[in-house]
Amino acid sequence: ILTYGYAKNVQWPAVTSAACFQVDKNGCHMLAVVQLPPEFPMSVVSSEFFAVALAAKVPPVVGTVLPIVSDCRAVVQAFSTLTRHAD
């Protein structure tokens, strides 16, 4: 599942969004897109993390859970060392 976050002209929250995209083994394209809630920080990094949360929220009902892929360095680093963030 590929995740993507977007923010442009962050003074206008309507253009800060997150998306998840997947192509299944039958070639079916699945897409989820959301606008970030107004209480979230309006930034690219925030939207990238929101996209990962969105992908994790809707795993497949049956079958194997697919890996979640992000091209955001902050997201990749945060999830590569989860033990650093554990309480």
Side-chain angles (χ1 to χ4, degrees):
I1 301 172
L2 176 64
T3 63
Y4 185 74
Y6 178 80
K8 183 175 180 182
N9 299 325
V10 294
Q11 65 271 25
W12 302 314
V15 294
T16 303
S17 58
C20 302
F21 179 75
Q22 176 184 353
V23 179
D24 71 9
K25 65 181 179 183
N26 299 318
C28 179
H29 293 196
M30 294 173 273
L31 176 67
V33 179
V34 296
Q35 179 181 337
L36 265 65
E39 62 271 12
F40 273 63
M42 297 296 147
S43 70
V44 174
V45 172
S46 178
S47 61
E48 289 278 0
F49 275 98
F50 198 92
V52 171
L54 180 65
K57 184 134 179 108
V58 288
V61 177
V62 295
T64 305
V65 176
L66 299 173
I68 297 173
V69 179
S70 175
D71 65 349
C72 177
R73 184 179 176 104
V75 171
V76 173
Q77 281 184 314
F79 283 96
S80 68
T81 57
L82 288 176
T83 54
R84 278 186 30 203
H85 307 291
D87 291 319

